[in-house]
Amino acid sequence: MKRRISLIATCLLLTFMLVATACSQSTDNNAEGTPAGNAGNADAGSQEQVTIKLFSSAGQFTKGNYGYTKVMDDFMKKNPNIKVEISQAHGKQWTDTFLALASTNELPDVISGTGITFDQYVANKWVQPLTGLVSDSFLKSFPPSAFQEGINQVGGKVYAIPRVNGKTGFEFLYNKDIMQKAGLDPNKPPETWDELEQMAKQVKEKTGLYPLGFGFKVKWGWNSVIALAQAIQPTLDITGFDYKKGQYDFNSPAVIQAFQFIQKLNSEGLIHPDSLTLGDVDFEGTFANKQVAFGFGDAPMPRVFKVTYKGLKDYGISTIPTPTKGMKYHEPASSAAADFYVSATTKHPKEAAKLIEYLGSNEYLTGMLQDDLLPVPLTSLMDDPKNFTDDNLKKMVQIYKDTVVESPNPAVNPGAVQAKQVEATLPAPKPDWWEAMQGAYLGQIDIKQAMTQVTDAYNKRFNDAIKKAKDGGANVTPQMFTFPDWDGTKDYKK
Amino acid sequence: MSTHLRKQMFWCYLFILPQLLMFLLFTLWPIVASYYFAFFNWNGIGWPKDFVGWANFKETLFDPYFWNAFKHSFIYAVALVVIVVPTALIVAILLNSPRLKGGVFFRTMVFMPIVLTMSIIGIVMSNIFSTQGFLNKMLLTLGLIHQPVTWLTNGKLAMIALIAVGVWKGFGIKVIYWLAGLQTLPSEVYEAARIDGANRWQELRYITIPLLIPFFIIIVFFQTIWALNVFDLVKTFTNGGPFFATDVVPLYIYRYAFEIQGGLPRMGFASAAGIIYGMATMIVSAVLGTLVRKYGGQKIGH
């Protein structure tokens, strides 16, 4: 009997130890990547202290980077009762983690990630309005155009604040030293497609390098084709939606022409053959490590080249080349952007709102512009030349001022917001537009046929969403998305 | 039942219990649940509500990209079986030879890839196979090629590269299986054959290979199932590209279950695809299982 009891006791003890080990393991995992280790211990020290979690896809919040350091060193000092745990993941990893957290109802208090669209955040009730949580004076510190229906507010209620200036786009990148080695003037980047082709040939001939690189493994890389097409079709936005036509237009002559230009460069051996296996981050590394002379980039480039590739200076930024000389490049974008949200399930909305107010403060954004080299949403800061400490950032912002125009916003109609939310929940066509471009680039499918199929599928999805929203009681028509009088060369005004 | 037997049974069940619970929770429940989820339009968040009947199954069956992935899964599996199983046998026979010097060293060399994590292999190999990677540099240095080979950006070459890495990774364990088989063969049969004047080739042809048939069936079974379920290597090595040229069904399922496809993930659709693929692999398993039952237990005799 005694032996049996002792055996059972041993088994129970072993089970307990196993469970205890598992629990301690899970606590360790939770603490991983957090600034001050175990949150539970910190809370135990002070009963009034509140721990909030920020989960961001921005490199700015990687340990040691600007955002991380400011929150840790400045915000937490100023708010000793708030402990912030920051986690950061890039791109798809962020999205996958976010979805896993959403599925287990463990959303972080403050969310910052563009892998999920604004419509998806709102439609799935993952976030709550900031109006009422943050002060009115804080929201008024942003220019009025920073908040727009369907982009970061619904029914007049603001759901997110912008981190980076929304009115940004694409730019052309060139390595000055490679151009010099190739006998090209490093201060005269290509302005037209022909010039780009000729310069690329010269780079290849004189340096033996592949002149152009792209991140064609992911959609981001294929946005370059849309960017090139926008020179001809400025009413086309980066999602492939044409505001003038009020529908998706991936098979427009402009897109096909831009794609065929890229294909021509490829057939001439002017594009790095690894481009199809490079993602956005890989492309940045390829460009920064001087493996290619030219490429296309977006707003975070000056920051990436300063922070991630320390010392990369001999590169330049210019406007996207146009098909012919004298053409003025334009691309549409909205001044509003959605970056920081408070989750709908947070237990500490006030503290989360406080952090949001800090991340949108003049002080934080000034440092972000000066040190972290990102264009900020406050025009007062952007208009002050003193805030530009980097020539390439200055150049990039000037390019955006010259080329990016305010796009129309169909979401001023509440019905259109509902339709966009429905559309966000519908599956994308298979293959997606950029995957079809991959196939055509490899010569496996015909670009015109593939893009027509993709466009038809996108427009069917769009019309289905309108119909579904209508059936649900929304007042929405396809005309709400059509702006026939807008030519894409000037800011859209109501 | 005697007290002793009851006591024994109690302890047996007690020790089986944790494994059983794990099995129910992490194997049986997901399988059962996926049959339920497959009938819903569900993104994996909350509990499914939007019942869609057989729509997910129909969509899977009419999706050319599913069949594209399906074809690649079977090409990969067949290629691995055809290449790995016989070559691993040859290497095992060589390693089993008492005349081979440094056998332990060679066995370690062959076994090495087994201990490496598949995802790490995928990442490392994607660098090795890149146009400016080690493989191209080596081939250029040796003068075997004049231009870098686009291993990963050409659909056919990417599949060949994937199969090559799969072969390399799976080779060692098959050699171990064959070695285990070879070491069970009775020496007296060989002695008798030698007395009868059989040469090495005749020993191999008429003794070794026939006696190894039970092992052959089991190795083919393991290799096929392992290859049909390949995921981590493809995910990290080619991610199914370029343009779905190396897409396999487990990766296809993963994409719909956990990734954003324009809208949110489609766990219901992924479940339907998983069930269809599960049935296909079950048929293969059943056929191979029948062969295992028929020949796997065959005694060495005559």
Side-chain angles (χ1 to χ4, degrees):
Chain A
M1 185 65 189
K2 264 185 187 172
R3 190 186 285 173
R4 183 187 292 178
I5 289 169
S6 75
L7 265 170
I8 291 171
T10 312
C11 284
L12 284 172
L13 189 66
L14 274 170
T15 314
F16 172 77
M17 280 166 69
L18 273 171
V19 171
T21 314
C23 288
S24 72
Q25 184 66 44
S26 113
T27 312
D28 287 349
N29 286 345
N30 286 340
E32 199 174 88
T34 58
N38 192 313
N41 290 345
D43 283 345
S46 159
Q47 285 190 337
E48 289 176 9
Q49 195 179 50
V50 164
T51 301
I52 57 169
K53 289 178 180 174
L54 163 67
F55 182 39
S56 176
S57 63
Q60 190 179 57
F61 291 100
T62 308
K63 195 172 182 177
N65 283 356
Y66 175 78
Y68 186 95
T69 312
K70 283 293 276 183
V71 172
M72 290 296 131
D73 295 349
D74 192 39
F75 175 77
M76 277 170 57
K77 259 187 203 156
K78 286 176 181 162
N79 299 276
N81 65 320
I82 305 174
K83 182 174 180 289
V84 185
E85 289 180 355
I86 301 176
S87 309
Q88 193 273 341
H90 184 73
K92 236 186 62 47
Q93 280 177 323
W94 183 92
T95 313
D96 293 352
T97 311
F98 177 85
L99 292 170
L101 291 169
S103 66
T104 52
N105 212 18
E106 290 174 48
L107 287 174
D109 304 276
V110 177
I111 305 162
S112 160
T114 48
I116 305 280
T117 64
F118 174 72
D119 295 319
Q120 286 169 338
Y121 279 120
V122 177
N124 288 287
K125 298 188 175 80
W126 286 327
V127 293
Q128 58 177 297
L130 292 178
T131 309
L133 271 184
V134 295
S135 67
D136 286 348
S137 60
F138 168 70
L139 293 178
K140 278 180 186 154
S141 68
F142 289 88
S145 60
F147 299 112
Q148 291 184 32
E149 282 294 311
I151 295 170
N152 52 17
Q153 69 175 38
V154 177
K157 284 183 179 170
V158 172
Y159 277 76
I161 63 157
R163 182 177 67 95
V164 178
N165 194 316
K167 218 172 156 187
T168 56
F170 262 70
E171 68 271 357
F172 186 73
L173 303 167
Y174 53 99
N175 270 314
K176 290 181 178 179
D177 47 349
I178 299 178
M179 284 180 76
Q180 211 154 13
K181 270 183 210 159
L184 296 164
D185 183 348
N187 297 312
K188 281 191 179 166
E191 288 177 11
T192 65
W193 292 7
D194 279 346
E195 281 178 16
L196 173 59
E197 189 181 351
Q198 293 313 314
M199 286 188 189
K201 280 179 181 168
Q202 197 166 326
V203 167
K204 189 164 189 194
E205 196 186 312
K206 296 277 163 83
T207 66
L209 287 170
Y210 287 107
L212 268 152
F214 292 92
F216 280 161
K217 187 183 174 184
V218 293
K219 182 162 83 176
W220 181 87
W222 291 102
N223 283 343
S224 311
V225 175
I226 303 287
L228 283 168
Q230 283 170 329
I232 311 163
Q233 192 181 356
T235 50
L236 185 77
D237 82 359
I238 206 70
T239 67
F241 191 84
D242 186 285
Y243 292 102
K244 197 177 173 77
K245 295 179 181 173
Q247 58 184 23
Y248 289 95
D249 206 20
F250 292 107
N251 62 339
S252 71
V255 175
I256 302 297
Q257 203 181 326
F259 178 83
Q260 285 169 338
F261 172 61
I262 292 290
Q263 213 170 20
K264 186 181 176 211
L265 297 178
N266 185 41
S267 66
E268 289 169 343
L270 302 174
I271 295 180
H272 196 297
D274 282 347
S275 290
L276 273 172
T277 61
L278 302 178
D280 47 354
V281 177
D282 310 311
F283 161 73
E284 289 160 7
T286 305
F287 180 81
N289 289 314
K290 310 289 180 186
Q291 289 176 29
V292 291
F294 307 124
F296 292 71
D298 52 9
M301 288 302 148
R303 185 196 158 273
V304 168
F305 293 141
K306 182 197 169 191
V307 177
T308 314
Y309 300 97
K310 290 177 174 63
L312 182 77
K313 281 178 182 158
D314 45 3
Y315 76 99
I317 286 178
S318 66
T319 311
I320 301 282
T322 54
T324 52
K325 199 107 189 158
M327 267 181 107
K328 182 99 174 72
Y329 183 81
H330 294 289
E331 57 181 312
S334 170
S335 298
D339 283 305
F340 291 115
Y341 300 83
V342 170
S343 75
T345 53
T346 178
K347 285 175 186 158
H348 309 293
K350 277 183 193 164
E351 287 78 8
K354 215 163 197 176
L355 177 61
I356 294 234
E357 285 192 355
Y358 177 78
L359 295 168
S361 67
N362 205 300
E363 181 203 343
Y364 182 86
L365 294 174
T366 304
M368 187 168 132
L369 181 56
Q370 290 177 352
D371 303 329
D372 212 28
L373 307 188
L374 280 165
V376 297
L378 298 187
T379 36
S380 57
L381 297 177
M382 293 288 280
D383 289 341
D384 187 349
K386 280 202 305 268
N387 289 327
F388 290 91
T389 57
D390 180 271
D391 287 344
N392 277 317
L393 175 68
K394 198 174 171 182
K395 183 82 190 289
M396 185 183 79
V397 167
Q398 190 55 50
I399 289 168
Y400 290 161
K401 275 184 183 166
D402 294 343
T403 62
V404 181
V405 296
E406 187 75 34
S407 58
N409 182 12
V412 290
N413 305 292
V417 177
Q418 288 175 45
K420 289 305 279 181
Q421 286 179 5
V422 173
E423 190 189 17
T425 62
L426 299 176
K430 295 182 258 186
D432 208 338
W433 68 268
W434 60 276
E435 290 168 329
M437 279 191 183
Q438 270 185 349
Y441 185 80
L442 285 164
Q444 292 179 7
I445 49 176
D446 175 67
I447 184 68
K448 284 182 190 166
Q449 202 184 340
M451 285 298 116
T452 301
Q453 280 174 1
V454 167
T455 307
D456 290 348
Y458 259 92
N459 283 326
K460 185 186 176 301
R461 175 179 177 244
F462 174 59
N463 290 322
D464 286 350
I466 291 177
K467 192 178 171 299
K468 229 175 164 180
K470 227 174 186 173
D471 293 346
N475 177 20
V476 54
T477 63
Q479 285 70 40
M480 286 177 181
F481 297 87
T482 313
F483 303 87
D485 300 329
W486 185 65
D487 67 1
T489 60
K490 288 186 197 85
D491 285 346
Y492 178 81
K493 284 177 183 138
K494 275 184 242 175
Chain B
M1 196 185 287
S2 70
T3 319
H4 176 71
L5 200 61
R6 270 212 303 272
K7 224 193 269 179
Q8 218 171 13
M9 293 286 277
F10 168 77
W11 287 111
C12 288
Y13 284 119
L14 188 69
F15 282 108
I16 286 170
L17 189 66
Q19 178 64 27
L20 181 70
L21 288 175
M22 295 286 177
F23 171 77
L24 291 174
L25 199 62
F26 297 114
T27 306
L28 195 65
W29 163 244
I31 292 171
V32 173
S34 68
Y35 277 84
Y36 177 73
F37 297 150
F39 292 95
F40 288 85
N41 179 22
W42 181 51
N43 58 24
I45 296 158
W47 191 250
K49 286 171 192 158
D50 185 10
F51 181 78
V52 291
W54 294 96
N56 287 330
F57 290 94
K58 272 189 214 162
E59 191 182 338
T60 307
L61 290 170
F62 286 102
D63 181 9
Y65 290 91
F66 172 77
W67 292 111
N68 171 64
F70 192 89
K71 180 181 83 185
H72 292 145
S73 284
F74 277 85
I75 288 175
Y76 180 78
V78 170
L80 254 64
V81 169
V82 169
I83 298 167
V84 172
V85 176
T87 50
L89 172 62
I90 295 165
V91 172
I93 289 169
L94 292 172
L95 290 176
N96 198 43
S97 168
R99 283 182 290 179
L100 180 76
K101 283 181 184 168
V104 175
F105 171 75
F106 289 117
R107 278 181 208 194
T108 312
M109 289 282 288
V110 168
F111 194 71
M112 198 94 87
I114 301 169
V115 294
L116 296 172
T117 311
M118 195 71 117
S119 49
I120 302 291
I121 289 175
I123 293 164
V124 172
M125 287 296 173
S126 63
N127 285 313
I128 289 176
F129 279 86
S130 73
T131 51
Q132 292 176 330
F134 172 76
L135 184 63
N136 272 319
K137 279 184 182 159
M138 193 181 72
L139 295 173
L140 284 166
T141 311
L142 293 172
L144 295 171
I145 53 170
H146 301 292
Q147 285 281 319
V149 179
T150 52
W151 294 106
L152 301 179
T153 54
N154 175 311
K156 280 178 188 158
L157 292 178
M159 194 65 192
I160 291 170
L162 180 67
I163 290 168
V165 176
V167 166
W168 176 74
K169 168 71 179 161
F171 190 75
I173 194 76
K174 307 303 168 309
V175 172
I176 302 294
Y177 291 162
W178 280 126
L179 275 170
L182 285 166
Q183 281 161 15
T184 62
L185 302 184
S187 56
E188 58 269 27
V189 182
Y190 288 92
E191 282 161 18
R194 269 178 227 133
I195 290 164
D196 290 343
N199 59 27
R200 293 273 170 205
W201 167 249
Q202 285 169 325
E203 277 178 28
L204 178 72
R205 168 71 183 82
Y206 296 106
I207 302 172
T208 309
I209 291 174
L211 290 181
L212 283 175
I213 282 178
F215 292 94
F216 170 78
I217 302 292
I218 290 166
I219 292 169
V220 166
F221 178 79
F222 282 142
Q223 179 64 74
T224 310
I225 301 304
W226 182 77
L228 285 174
N229 289 320
V230 66
F231 167 74
D232 34 12
L233 177 65
V234 187
K235 176 77 186 151
T236 52
F237 185 38
T238 63
N239 199 23
F243 192 57
F244 308 102
T246 56
D247 200 16
V248 288
V249 181
L251 184 63
Y252 174 96
I253 293 167
Y254 172 85
R255 268 205 308 275
Y256 283 99
F258 302 109
E259 290 184 356
I260 293 278
Q261 297 289 322
L264 290 169
R266 302 182 63 199
M267 192 66 90
F269 176 76
S271 298
I275 288 167
I276 293 170
Y277 188 61
M279 284 177 176
T281 50
M282 216 134 73
I283 291 167
V284 174
S285 307
V287 171
L288 291 170
T290 310
L291 291 173
V292 170
R293 270 195 300 278
K294 196 170 175 191
Y295 300 105
Q298 198 176 66
K299 298 280 179 219
I300 296 158
H302 313 296

